[in-house]
Amino acid sequence: MGNMSERVDHVKPIPASLVSAAARIGGPDETLTDEQISRFVAEQLATADLDGKRVCVIIPDGTRSVPLPRVMPAVHDALKNRASHITVLIALGTHAAMSEESIERMLGAEPGKLKDAYPAFEIRNHEWDNDEEIADLGEIGADTIAELTGGLLTDVPMRVNINRHVVEADVNLIVGPVFPHEVVGFSGGNKYFFPGCSVHDVIDISHWVGALITASRIIGALGITPVRELIDAASARIETTKYCLAMVVRSASSDLHAMSFGSPESAWAACAQISAHTHIRYVEKPYKRIVAIMPEMYEDIWTGAKGFYKLEPVCADGGQVIIYAPHITEVAAMHPGLRDIGYHNIEYFTKQWDRFKNHPWGELAHSTHVTGLGTYDPETGEENNRVRRAFATQIPPEVCEEYNVEYVDPASLDLEELRRDPDTLVVDHAGEVLHRLASERQAL
């Protein structure tokens, strides 16, 4: 295993030719109308080779803010009389399956009327834990992985497995948003295949590479990161026609700033450049205390931890980030192994690698993402983290202690009083907008 990078050394600039290869509408300061959205979807899909084809439409789950009710009816209309079969696959990664009621809300259908709203769609959750639903696309060798990760991993091959509906389709169409992301730099594009529709090997390896770089350094890095290269390499194994309808969403709203259409790589690149303008907020100083108010679309800490990732960069050394989510009752039902390891910084694991190397790497990575930068001395067992983090949820104090996290009683926080404190930053609808110090602003 390679050493941790001190900065994101291996990010490649996005080629201008890749951005220009996608059709795009909107921009950082624009808001698209329903008419513009429907017309763009219809015009772009009219140019795609879809007639008589089996199409798999890949969409995000309920943990992503995206106004699918404004987009998916137009996708349905563009496909229904052309494709021979349309599967809509919800890219869960390893999140819990969505209920029919949740899917109805996400797609804007009335209760019990999902099939009436989208009669041509067969809508399915990605069953990442069902071997019969998974196709094997072979292995990417350790030498290639070493090259793609810039030596962060040197002796680890990667098995490429993905939902069989992706492989069995003639055409795959990704429909989803682009945001700053703690593992890959900016989400979207091929990330909806891997990890969205994959299983543990690609998920574990890609997330661990992000952890080695550290979430603090990779999040919001505008370019082709090592993790993006891993994802693109895995996606190249999918021998189908691939399109992407990417979007930039105005955070905490149903508005769209922009849309792009093209290959997963080009559509992602076009929207990532806009997301870098709209989803990164720069502040003048670090704060001693940050309260991340999490919306209810985040049902556990596994997903709600985005409030930490997006705010830790502007927390002062020794300061505290509080994930405020009174609705959350558990850390991660789908990842019970987190309780065995707790939350720690990257050195805690890399300097005790023989102890942890056989634990699922995706859980190790998540643990480090919710801890941030820090050090660990294996001689003394002393762990020092740059910032403190706390859960203000329904997870009780004794359980927080098991996870090595501070507990804060949500009822003890006077949010309006905290908003008046100049040393405290309270962020509503946290989890999507990345906060950075103004001194770190990059030219775009």
mmCIF file of all heavy atoms in Angstrom, residues 2-3 5 9-10 12 142-156 158 205-206 208-210 212-213 225-230:
data_model
loop_
_atom_site.group_PDB
_atom_site.id
_atom_site.type_symbol
_atom_site.label_atom_id
_atom_site.label_comp_id
_atom_site.label_asym_id
_atom_site.label_seq_id
_atom_site.Cartn_x
_atom_site.Cartn_y
_atom_site.Cartn_z
ATOM 1 N N GLY A 2 0.535 2.207 -0.826
ATOM 2 C CA GLY A 2 1.328 3.412 -0.914
ATOM 3 C C GLY A 2 1.103 4.339 0.261
ATOM 4 O O GLY A 2 0.261 4.120 1.120
ATOM 5 N N ASN A 3 1.876 5.428 0.312
ATOM 6 C CA ASN A 3 1.763 6.399 1.393
ATOM 7 C C ASN A 3 0.682 7.427 1.090
ATOM 8 O O ASN A 3 0.307 7.657 -0.056
ATOM 9 C CB ASN A 3 3.107 7.121 1.589
ATOM 10 C CG ASN A 3 4.177 6.180 2.085
ATOM 11 O OD1 ASN A 3 3.900 5.300 2.877
ATOM 12 N ND2 ASN A 3 5.402 6.362 1.605
ATOM 13 N N SER A 5 -0.978 10.879 0.348
ATOM 14 C CA SER A 5 -0.568 12.088 -0.348
ATOM 15 C C SER A 5 -0.747 13.294 0.563
ATOM 16 O O SER A 5 -1.701 13.381 1.314
ATOM 17 C CB SER A 5 -1.422 12.274 -1.609
ATOM 18 O OG SER A 5 -1.178 13.518 -2.207
ATOM 19 N N ASP A 9 -1.934 15.587 -5.643
ATOM 20 C CA ASP A 9 -0.892 15.786 -6.634
ATOM 21 C C ASP A 9 -1.290 15.303 -8.022
ATOM 22 O O ASP A 9 -0.728 15.752 -9.015
ATOM 23 C CB ASP A 9 0.378 15.035 -6.215
ATOM 24 C CG ASP A 9 1.064 15.669 -5.027
ATOM 25 O OD1 ASP A 9 1.041 16.903 -4.937
ATOM 26 O OD2 ASP A 9 1.607 14.937 -4.184
ATOM 27 N N HIS A 10 -2.214 14.367 -8.094
ATOM 28 C CA HIS A 10 -2.413 13.645 -9.339
ATOM 29 C C HIS A 10 -3.670 14.071 -10.086
ATOM 30 O O HIS A 10 -4.120 13.362 -10.975
ATOM 31 C CB HIS A 10 -2.464 12.140 -9.046
ATOM 32 C CG HIS A 10 -1.324 11.668 -8.198
ATOM 33 N ND1 HIS A 10 -0.019 11.701 -8.629
ATOM 34 C CD2 HIS A 10 -1.290 11.167 -6.939
ATOM 35 C CE1 HIS A 10 0.768 11.225 -7.664
ATOM 36 N NE2 HIS A 10 0.017 10.910 -6.632
ATOM 37 N N LYS A 12 -5.692 15.741 -12.842
ATOM 38 C CA LYS A 12 -5.419 16.231 -14.193
ATOM 39 C C LYS A 12 -6.473 17.256 -14.585
ATOM 40 O O LYS A 12 -7.651 17.087 -14.274
ATOM 41 C CB LYS A 12 -5.443 15.055 -15.171
ATOM 42 C CG LYS A 12 -4.406 13.983 -14.868
ATOM 43 C CD LYS A 12 -4.565 12.790 -15.809
ATOM 44 C CE LYS A 12 -3.550 11.702 -15.482
ATOM 45 N NZ LYS A 12 -3.750 10.491 -16.329
ATOM 46 N N ALA A 142 -3.364 -5.077 -10.797
ATOM 47 C CA ALA A 142 -2.733 -4.226 -9.779
ATOM 48 C C ALA A 142 -1.814 -3.180 -10.406
ATOM 49 O O ALA A 142 -1.725 -2.046 -9.912
ATOM 50 C CB ALA A 142 -1.962 -5.093 -8.788
ATOM 51 N N ASP A 143 -1.115 -3.541 -11.508
ATOM 52 C CA ASP A 143 -0.222 -2.572 -12.160
ATOM 53 C C ASP A 143 -1.001 -1.376 -12.687
ATOM 54 O O ASP A 143 -0.556 -0.221 -12.567
ATOM 55 C CB ASP A 143 0.550 -3.246 -13.298
ATOM 56 C CG ASP A 143 1.588 -4.228 -12.804
ATOM 57 O OD1 ASP A 143 1.888 -4.221 -11.589
ATOM 58 O OD2 ASP A 143 2.089 -5.019 -13.621
ATOM 59 N N THR A 144 -2.166 -1.651 -13.265
ATOM 60 C CA THR A 144 -3.000 -0.562 -13.779
ATOM 61 C C THR A 144 -3.551 0.279 -12.641
ATOM 62 O O THR A 144 -3.587 1.520 -12.730
ATOM 63 C CB THR A 144 -4.155 -1.127 -14.621
ATOM 64 O OG1 THR A 144 -3.617 -1.883 -15.713
ATOM 65 C CG2 THR A 144 -5.032 -0.013 -15.170
ATOM 66 N N ILE A 145 -3.968 -0.378 -11.571
ATOM 67 C CA ILE A 145 -4.471 0.360 -10.409
ATOM 68 C C ILE A 145 -3.376 1.263 -9.840
ATOM 69 O O ILE A 145 -3.619 2.418 -9.472
ATOM 70 C CB ILE A 145 -4.991 -0.601 -9.323
ATOM 71 C CG1 ILE A 145 -6.180 -1.413 -9.844
ATOM 72 C CG2 ILE A 145 -5.380 0.158 -8.056
ATOM 73 C CD1 ILE A 145 -7.372 -0.595 -10.244
ATOM 74 N N ALA A 146 -2.158 0.755 -9.777
ATOM 75 C CA ALA A 146 -1.038 1.557 -9.282
ATOM 76 C C ALA A 146 -0.823 2.792 -10.154
ATOM 77 O O ALA A 146 -0.591 3.899 -9.657
ATOM 78 C CB ALA A 146 0.229 0.710 -9.229
ATOM 79 N N GLU A 147 -0.927 2.589 -11.477
ATOM 80 C CA GLU A 147 -0.741 3.710 -12.398
ATOM 81 C C GLU A 147 -1.862 4.747 -12.249
ATOM 82 O O GLU A 147 -1.604 5.955 -12.186
ATOM 83 C CB GLU A 147 -0.703 3.188 -13.834
ATOM 84 C CG GLU A 147 -0.501 4.265 -14.880
ATOM 85 C CD GLU A 147 -0.481 3.705 -16.293
ATOM 86 O OE1 GLU A 147 -0.483 2.470 -16.457
ATOM 87 O OE2 GLU A 147 -0.478 4.524 -17.239
ATOM 88 N N LEU A 148 -3.099 4.267 -12.168
ATOM 89 C CA LEU A 148 -4.236 5.179 -12.086
ATOM 90 C C LEU A 148 -4.258 5.961 -10.776
ATOM 91 O O LEU A 148 -4.726 7.100 -10.741
ATOM 92 C CB LEU A 148 -5.545 4.399 -12.233
ATOM 93 C CG LEU A 148 -5.818 3.753 -13.593
ATOM 94 C CD1 LEU A 148 -7.082 2.904 -13.541
ATOM 95 C CD2 LEU A 148 -5.944 4.807 -14.681
ATOM 96 N N THR A 149 -3.764 5.359 -9.713
ATOM 97 C CA THR A 149 -3.792 6.023 -8.403
ATOM 98 C C THR A 149 -2.496 6.756 -8.082
ATOM 99 O O THR A 149 -2.336 7.248 -6.965
ATOM 100 C CB THR A 149 -4.081 5.002 -7.285
ATOM 101 O OG1 THR A 149 -3.002 4.055 -7.200
ATOM 102 C CG2 THR A 149 -5.384 4.272 -7.523
ATOM 103 N N GLY A 150 -1.608 6.831 -9.046
ATOM 104 C CA GLY A 150 -0.347 7.523 -8.791
ATOM 105 C C GLY A 150 0.478 6.871 -7.702
ATOM 106 O O GLY A 150 1.230 7.537 -6.996
ATOM 107 N N GLY A 151 0.342 5.528 -7.563
ATOM 108 C CA GLY A 151 1.134 4.795 -6.578
ATOM 109 C C GLY A 151 0.527 4.753 -5.192
ATOM 110 O O GLY A 151 1.145 4.208 -4.268
ATOM 111 N N LEU A 152 -0.682 5.299 -5.008
ATOM 112 C CA LEU A 152 -1.308 5.223 -3.689
ATOM 113 C C LEU A 152 -1.626 3.779 -3.320
ATOM 114 O O LEU A 152 -1.566 3.391 -2.152
ATOM 115 C CB LEU A 152 -2.582 6.069 -3.651
ATOM 116 C CG LEU A 152 -2.359 7.590 -3.663
ATOM 117 C CD1 LEU A 152 -3.675 8.313 -3.809
ATOM 118 C CD2 LEU A 152 -1.664 8.027 -2.376
ATOM 119 N N LEU A 153 -1.984 2.972 -4.319
ATOM 120 C CA LEU A 153 -2.127 1.527 -4.148
ATOM 121 C C LEU A 153 -1.183 0.864 -5.134
ATOM 122 O O LEU A 153 -1.152 1.228 -6.306
ATOM 123 C CB LEU A 153 -3.570 1.070 -4.409
ATOM 124 C CG LEU A 153 -4.650 1.578 -3.460
ATOM 125 C CD1 LEU A 153 -6.022 1.061 -3.897
ATOM 126 C CD2 LEU A 153 -4.375 1.157 -2.026
ATOM 127 N N THR A 154 -0.435 -0.114 -4.658
ATOM 128 C CA THR A 154 0.595 -0.721 -5.522
ATOM 129 C C THR A 154 0.438 -2.215 -5.722
ATOM 130 O O THR A 154 1.090 -2.774 -6.587
ATOM 131 C CB THR A 154 1.992 -0.446 -4.924
ATOM 132 O OG1 THR A 154 2.035 -0.963 -3.577
ATOM 133 C CG2 THR A 154 2.300 1.045 -4.917
ATOM 134 N N ASP A 155 -0.411 -2.867 -4.940
ATOM 135 C CA ASP A 155 -0.469 -4.328 -5.029
ATOM 136 C C ASP A 155 -1.895 -4.859 -4.941
ATOM 137 O O ASP A 155 -2.120 -5.967 -4.479
ATOM 138 C CB ASP A 155 0.390 -4.953 -3.920
ATOM 139 C CG ASP A 155 -0.012 -4.485 -2.524
ATOM 140 O OD1 ASP A 155 -0.933 -3.659 -2.427
ATOM 141 O OD2 ASP A 155 0.589 -4.957 -1.539
ATOM 142 N N VAL A 156 -2.854 -4.044 -5.415
ATOM 143 C CA VAL A 156 -4.255 -4.407 -5.254
ATOM 144 C C VAL A 156 -4.965 -4.392 -6.613
ATOM 145 O O VAL A 156 -5.117 -3.324 -7.214
ATOM 146 C CB VAL A 156 -4.972 -3.427 -4.295
ATOM 147 C CG1 VAL A 156 -6.428 -3.831 -4.113
ATOM 148 C CG2 VAL A 156 -4.262 -3.363 -2.956
ATOM 149 N N MET A 158 -8.512 -4.861 -8.947
ATOM 150 C CA MET A 158 -9.891 -4.441 -8.684
ATOM 151 C C MET A 158 -10.852 -5.249 -9.548
ATOM 152 O O MET A 158 -10.766 -5.230 -10.774
ATOM 153 C CB MET A 158 -10.062 -2.947 -8.973
ATOM 154 C CG MET A 158 -11.438 -2.404 -8.626
ATOM 155 S SD MET A 158 -11.526 -0.582 -8.722
ATOM 156 C CE MET A 158 -11.496 -0.349 -10.507
ATOM 157 N N ILE A 205 -12.246 0.029 -2.953
ATOM 158 C CA ILE A 205 -10.954 0.517 -3.449
ATOM 159 C C ILE A 205 -11.031 2.004 -3.782
ATOM 160 O O ILE A 205 -10.143 2.786 -3.402
ATOM 161 C CB ILE A 205 -10.505 -0.316 -4.662
ATOM 162 C CG1 ILE A 205 -10.092 -1.721 -4.191
ATOM 163 C CG2 ILE A 205 -9.354 0.363 -5.396
ATOM 164 C CD1 ILE A 205 -9.778 -2.685 -5.305
ATOM 165 N N SER A 206 -12.086 2.426 -4.479
ATOM 166 C CA SER A 206 -12.176 3.842 -4.847
ATOM 167 C C SER A 206 -12.314 4.735 -3.611
ATOM 168 O O SER A 206 -11.659 5.780 -3.511
ATOM 169 C CB SER A 206 -13.352 4.070 -5.807
ATOM 170 O OG SER A 206 -14.581 3.711 -5.206
ATOM 171 N N TRP A 208 -11.264 4.038 -0.616
ATOM 172 C CA TRP A 208 -10.021 4.015 0.160
ATOM 173 C C TRP A 208 -8.965 4.916 -0.470
ATOM 174 O O TRP A 208 -8.201 5.585 0.230
ATOM 175 C CB TRP A 208 -9.522 2.585 0.305
ATOM 176 C CG TRP A 208 -8.330 2.463 1.216
ATOM 177 C CD1 TRP A 208 -7.096 1.972 0.904
ATOM 178 C CD2 TRP A 208 -8.249 2.852 2.595
ATOM 179 N NE1 TRP A 208 -6.265 2.032 1.994
ATOM 180 C CE2 TRP A 208 -6.945 2.563 3.041
ATOM 181 C CE3 TRP A 208 -9.166 3.412 3.486
ATOM 182 C CZ2 TRP A 208 -6.536 2.819 4.349
ATOM 183 C CZ3 TRP A 208 -8.750 3.679 4.783
ATOM 184 C CH2 TRP A 208 -7.456 3.376 5.203
ATOM 185 N N VAL A 209 -8.911 4.957 -1.792
ATOM 186 C CA VAL A 209 -7.985 5.881 -2.450
ATOM 187 C C VAL A 209 -8.340 7.315 -2.081
ATOM 188 O O VAL A 209 -7.462 8.133 -1.766
ATOM 189 C CB VAL A 209 -8.005 5.682 -3.982
ATOM 190 C CG1 VAL A 209 -7.221 6.787 -4.689
ATOM 191 C CG2 VAL A 209 -7.416 4.323 -4.345
ATOM 192 N N GLY A 210 -9.648 7.640 -2.077
ATOM 193 C CA GLY A 210 -10.059 8.970 -1.637
ATOM 194 C C GLY A 210 -9.667 9.248 -0.204
ATOM 195 O O GLY A 210 -9.264 10.359 0.142
ATOM 196 N N LEU A 212 -7.083 7.926 1.385
ATOM 197 C CA LEU A 212 -5.631 8.123 1.453
ATOM 198 C C LEU A 212 -5.249 9.547 1.055
ATOM 199 O O LEU A 212 -4.348 10.148 1.639
ATOM 200 C CB LEU A 212 -4.923 7.108 0.549
ATOM 201 C CG LEU A 212 -4.936 5.653 1.029
ATOM 202 C CD1 LEU A 212 -4.430 4.721 -0.062
ATOM 203 C CD2 LEU A 212 -4.103 5.490 2.299
ATOM 204 N N ILE A 213 -5.939 10.081 0.073
ATOM 205 C CA ILE A 213 -5.702 11.483 -0.294
ATOM 206 C C ILE A 213 -6.260 12.392 0.804
ATOM 207 O O ILE A 213 -5.699 13.447 1.091
ATOM 208 C CB ILE A 213 -6.364 11.795 -1.648
ATOM 209 C CG1 ILE A 213 -5.720 10.962 -2.756
ATOM 210 C CG2 ILE A 213 -6.257 13.283 -1.986
ATOM 211 C CD1 ILE A 213 -6.441 11.036 -4.088
ATOM 212 N N THR A 225 -9.535 13.358 -10.967
ATOM 213 C CA THR A 225 -8.817 12.867 -9.799
ATOM 214 C C THR A 225 -8.463 11.391 -9.970
ATOM 215 O O THR A 225 -9.013 10.712 -10.848
ATOM 216 C CB THR A 225 -9.674 13.029 -8.533
ATOM 217 O OG1 THR A 225 -10.837 12.186 -8.659
ATOM 218 C CG2 THR A 225 -10.118 14.477 -8.340
ATOM 219 N N PRO A 226 -7.563 10.848 -9.135
ATOM 220 C CA PRO A 226 -7.282 9.415 -9.207
ATOM 221 C C PRO A 226 -8.524 8.550 -9.049
ATOM 222 O O PRO A 226 -8.650 7.511 -9.718
ATOM 223 C CB PRO A 226 -6.292 9.199 -8.055
ATOM 224 C CG PRO A 226 -5.602 10.515 -7.898
ATOM 225 C CD PRO A 226 -6.660 11.539 -8.190
ATOM 226 N N VAL A 227 -9.443 8.961 -8.192
ATOM 227 C CA VAL A 227 -10.666 8.169 -8.016
ATOM 228 C C VAL A 227 -11.533 8.253 -9.265
ATOM 229 O O VAL A 227 -12.132 7.258 -9.691
ATOM 230 C CB VAL A 227 -11.437 8.641 -6.775
ATOM 231 C CG1 VAL A 227 -12.694 7.798 -6.582
ATOM 232 C CG2 VAL A 227 -10.557 8.566 -5.529
ATOM 233 N N ARG A 228 -11.618 9.418 -9.889
ATOM 234 C CA ARG A 228 -12.350 9.546 -11.149
ATOM 235 C C ARG A 228 -11.741 8.639 -12.212
ATOM 236 O O ARG A 228 -12.451 8.008 -13.001
ATOM 237 C CB ARG A 228 -12.353 11.006 -11.595
ATOM 238 C CG ARG A 228 -12.991 11.305 -12.954
ATOM 239 C CD ARG A 228 -14.451 11.002 -13.036
ATOM 240 N NE ARG A 228 -15.271 11.757 -12.099
ATOM 241 C CZ ARG A 228 -16.598 11.658 -12.054
ATOM 242 N NH1 ARG A 228 -17.240 10.837 -12.870
ATOM 243 N NH2 ARG A 228 -17.289 12.352 -11.158
ATOM 244 N N GLU A 229 -10.427 8.544 -12.240
ATOM 245 C CA GLU A 229 -9.774 7.663 -13.215
ATOM 246 C C GLU A 229 -10.119 6.205 -12.964
ATOM 247 O O GLU A 229 -10.332 5.427 -13.911
ATOM 248 C CB GLU A 229 -8.261 7.876 -13.181
ATOM 249 C CG GLU A 229 -7.835 9.248 -13.679
ATOM 250 C CD GLU A 229 -6.484 9.221 -14.365
ATOM 251 O OE1 GLU A 229 -6.400 8.704 -15.491
ATOM 252 O OE2 GLU A 229 -5.513 9.707 -13.757
ATOM 253 N N LEU A 230 -10.178 5.799 -11.697
ATOM 254 C CA LEU A 230 -10.584 4.428 -11.371
ATOM 255 C C LEU A 230 -12.006 4.158 -11.863
ATOM 256 O O LEU A 230 -12.295 3.110 -12.461
ATOM 257 C CB LEU A 230 -10.521 4.198 -9.862
ATOM 258 C CG LEU A 230 -9.166 3.986 -9.209
ATOM 259 C CD1 LEU A 230 -9.343 3.875 -7.705
ATOM 260 C CD2 LEU A 230 -8.497 2.721 -9.748
#
